[in-house]
């Protein structure tokens, strides 16, 4: 297991290129199961989660070729396919559950291991399975696996009202509905940019989808989908993470490929905290306005609200802001595991259920800390940039799941950071 060592206190300057979105790519890749013709994704991020999805698709019978150092994923699924997604792969990554809808649509059956909970919450799949059942599927849980079967003649269109705008359930139902008989309407659908990106790609493959990006998506089933080439949308969470680097450490950084409309709610909070974000021809430029950062309150919500995937990083920023900030986590029940680690660095944080109260301190101090999940890990690196002395973040394999070339990107803007192998 590797660690990352950060020496804080240095202002940052330069340019960081933002990759394609992990969470878009993880839903675009299973879309290959919907067609016998090749699907090619460009601008794919080079991440271990993408390798896990490749492994899963290969285990189902797809051929996956990675080119240009992993930035292009060419997938093809023309022959007979296996409909069993094994626990050994699914347990590594929850997003494996995104093969359920496509397999059921194409094969009429799917056996997919239930992913189980993870560090940030229980994360059940009832919204996915209730939606597929409304489309006529029968789903049973046996030996830890969901056994799903479509009715004779395939899935049928249905009107599905989600109790919560689940990202994964919207993606699974949208993919399943592309090949269903008739029209499916998803009400209270998720509106994240990754959903719009998936809909764009599916439309290129011949799907008939309207309303993506709004709370009601309508999908008219077609007989077959064809091949396509699609560029993965910019990773708004990687973007927001790196925007926080100059905000925390000082200096000015330009994020190539960044757009405000991907993270407007986040940019509004940065503005209140005392950080300026300006659009350039190539992306976004971020710097501190004058003076000390100000406290801000944050509530995480589905898009277009403040993203839960930026809550840990925002907390790292607010640790040294003037005043008291209240962060409410409304998406996951256990997503404050970075707080005790930040406290080890001198932060003053109280956690009470889904609410964290951060009383700003003048300075953080470097310390050995431990990463517990992807976004928590990167929040500790950000905190390290502002801290006095050395911060050693261990268990950084979490980072490799979602941040490509993290050390190279931070050192490219003059951060003092290195990755070392633990003895
Ligand atoms: N939920 C249910 N039942 C369901 C589905 C979801 O109760 O059937 C609950 C979850 O337990 C959670 C909430 O609804 O409390 C939100 O879950 P959602 O389904 O929206 O999330 P997801 O699809 O599992 C994706 C991202 C997450 C991101 C969330 C929220 C991918 C691969 N993952 O997860 O990304 O936090 O949406 O925006 O797209 C990350 O990248 O670090 C990450 C965790």
């Amino acid at each position: 297991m590797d660690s990352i060592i950060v020496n804080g206190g240095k202002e940052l300057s330069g340019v960081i290129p933002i990759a394609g979105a992990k969470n878009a790519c993880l839903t675009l890749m299973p879309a290959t199961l919907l067609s016998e013709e090749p699907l090619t994704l460009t601008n794919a991020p080079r991440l271990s989660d993408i390798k896990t999805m490749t492994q899963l698709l290969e285990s189902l019978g797809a051929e996956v070729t990675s080119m240009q150092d992993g930035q292009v994923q060419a997938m093809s699924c023309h022959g007979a396919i296996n409909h069993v997604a094994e626990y050994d792969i699914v347990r590594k990554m929850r997003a494996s559950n995104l093969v359920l809808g496509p397999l059921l649509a194409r094969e009429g059956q799917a056996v997919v291991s239930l992913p189980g909970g993870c560090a940030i919450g229980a994360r059940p799949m009832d919204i996915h399975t209730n939606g597929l059942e409304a489309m006529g599927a029968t789903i049973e849980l046996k030996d830890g696996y969901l056994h799903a079967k479509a009715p004779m003649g395939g899935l049928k269109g249905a009107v599905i009202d989600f109790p919560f705008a689940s990202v994964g359930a919207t993606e699974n139902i949208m993919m399943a509905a592309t090949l269903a008989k008739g029209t499916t309407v998803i009400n209270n659908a998720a509106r994240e940019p990754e959903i719009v990106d998936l809909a764009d790609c599916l439309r290129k493959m011949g799907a008939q989808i309207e309303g993506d990006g709004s709370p009601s998506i309508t999908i008219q089933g077609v007989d077959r989908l064809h091949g396509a080439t699609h560029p993965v949308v910019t990773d708004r969470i990687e973007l927001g993470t790196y925007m926080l680097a100059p905000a925390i450490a000082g200096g000015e950084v330009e994020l190539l490929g960044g757009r405000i409309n991907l993270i407007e709610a986040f940019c509004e909070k940065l503005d209140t905290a005392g950080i300026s974000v300006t659009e350039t021809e190539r992306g976004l430029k971020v710097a501190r306005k004058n003076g000390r950062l100000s406290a801000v309150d944050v509530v995480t919500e589905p898009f277009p609200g403040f993203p839960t995937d930026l809550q840990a990083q925002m907390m790292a920023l607010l640790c040294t802001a003037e005043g008291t900030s209240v962060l409410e986590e409304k998406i996951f029940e256990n997503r404050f595991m970075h707080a005790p680690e930040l406290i080890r660095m001198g932060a003053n944080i109280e956690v009470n259920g889904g609410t964290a109260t951060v009383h700003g301190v003048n300075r953080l101090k470097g310390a050995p800390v431990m990463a517990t999940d992807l976004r928590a890990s990167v929040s500790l690196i950000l905190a390290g940039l502002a801290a006095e002395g050395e911060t050693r973040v261990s268990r950084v394999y979490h980072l490799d799941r979602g941040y490509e070339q993290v050390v190279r990107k931070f050192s490219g803007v003059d951060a003092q950071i290195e990755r070392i192998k633990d003895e």
Side-chain angles (χ1 to χ4, degrees), residues 22-23 123-127 166-168 309 331-332 375:
K22 164 181 86 82
N23 288 346
R123 305 180 78 178
M125 280 194 63
D126 54 318
I127 306 176
S166 156
V167 173
D309 292 343
I331 308 294
F332 293 107
R375 309 303 172 187

Side-chain angles (χ1 to χ4, degrees), residues 36-192:
E36 300 211 332
E37 293 177 21
L39 173 63
T40 301
L41 300 177
T42 58
N43 196 35
R46 292 159 287 190
L47 302 169
S48 64
D49 271 7
I50 301 303
K51 289 195 180 132
T52 305
M53 184 55 85
T54 299
Q55 230 184 333
L56 176 61
L57 292 175
E58 285 175 342
S59 79
L60 298 173
E63 283 169 29
V64 185
T65 314
S66 295
M67 292 173 284
Q68 289 173 26
D69 192 21
Q71 283 198 287
V72 176
Q73 300 284 325
M75 295 161 294
S76 169
C77 204
H78 47 80
I81 63 174
N82 166 23
H83 62 270
V84 185
E86 298 284 354
Y87 179 62
D88 270 355
I89 303 180
V90 177
R91 73 184 166 83
K92 287 193 202 162
M93 183 183 70
R94 286 191 53 86
S96 303
N97 64 26
L98 292 169
V99 300
L100 177 61
L103 280 178
L104 199 51
R106 162 127 171 219
E107 289 294 286
Q109 54 182 335
V111 177
V112 176
S113 171
L114 205 56
C118 74
I120 61 177
R123 305 180 78 178
M125 280 194 63
D126 54 318
I127 306 176
H128 305 236
T129 52
N130 290 343
L132 293 168
E133 280 170 349
M135 298 173 76
T138 49
I139 303 183
E140 245 189 302
L141 178 65
K142 263 195 283 183
D143 307 324
Y145 283 75
L146 291 172
H147 291 248
K149 263 207 164 78
M152 290 283 285
L155 293 171
K156 294 177 295 207
V159 176
I160 302 166
D161 297 320
F162 280 172
F164 177 84
S166 156
V167 173
T170 304
E171 293 165 343
N172 247 332
I173 301 296
M174 201 160 79
M175 287 192 276
T178 57
L179 294 178
K181 303 268 171 302
T183 305
T184 300
V185 179
I186 309 172
N187 291 321
N188 197 20
R191 291 186 270 167
E192 272 66 4

Side-chain angles (χ1 to χ4, degrees), residues 394-406:
S394 55
R395 297 205 177 167
V396 296
Y397 56 86
H398 292 291
L399 271 177
D400 300 329
R401 298 188 54 185
Y403 290 93
E404 62 167 42
Q405 302 180 319
V406 69

Side-chain angles (χ1 to χ4, degrees), residues 140-307:
E140 245 189 302
L141 178 65
K142 263 195 283 183
D143 307 324
Y145 283 75
L146 291 172
H147 291 248
K149 263 207 164 78
M152 290 283 285
L155 293 171
K156 294 177 295 207
V159 176
I160 302 166
D161 297 320
F162 280 172
F164 177 84
S166 156
V167 173
T170 304
E171 293 165 343
N172 247 332
I173 301 296
M174 201 160 79
M175 287 192 276
T178 57
L179 294 178
K181 303 268 171 302
T183 305
T184 300
V185 179
I186 309 172
N187 291 321
N188 197 20
R191 291 186 270 167
E192 272 66 4
E194 294 74 25
I195 303 281
V196 175
D197 201 39
L198 174 63
D200 280 342
C201 176
L202 292 170
R203 274 190 289 265
K204 285 181 196 161
M205 295 171 73
Q208 292 192 9
I209 303 175
E210 279 173 19
D212 46 293
S214 83
S216 182
I217 304 180
T218 303
I219 307 113
Q220 179 73 51
V222 295
D223 288 341
R224 58 184 294 279
L225 295 183
H226 50 75
T229 297
H230 180 78
V232 179
V233 68
T234 300
D235 195 320
R236 65 196 163 97
I237 306 302
E238 192 200 25
L239 170 66
T241 301
Y242 286 117
M243 284 169 76
L244 286 170
I248 284 186
E252 184 179 83
V253 170
E254 188 176 9
L255 297 311
L256 301 185
R259 285 185 280 126
I260 287 180
N261 65 357
L262 287 172
I263 41 171
E264 221 160 327
F266 173 74
C267 290
E268 279 164 21
K269 293 295 174 187
L270 289 191
D271 184 52
T272 315
I275 292 143
S276 85
V277 179
T278 41
E279 272 181 321
T280 66
E281 268 179 22
R282 307 190 294 179
L284 297 178
K285 215 169 238 181
V286 179
R288 267 197 200 192
K289 298 179 199 165
N290 294 328
R292 197 172 155 194
L293 298 170
S294 311
V296 263
D297 294 342
V298 171
V299 181
T300 64
E301 285 170 333
F303 192 87
F306 190 100

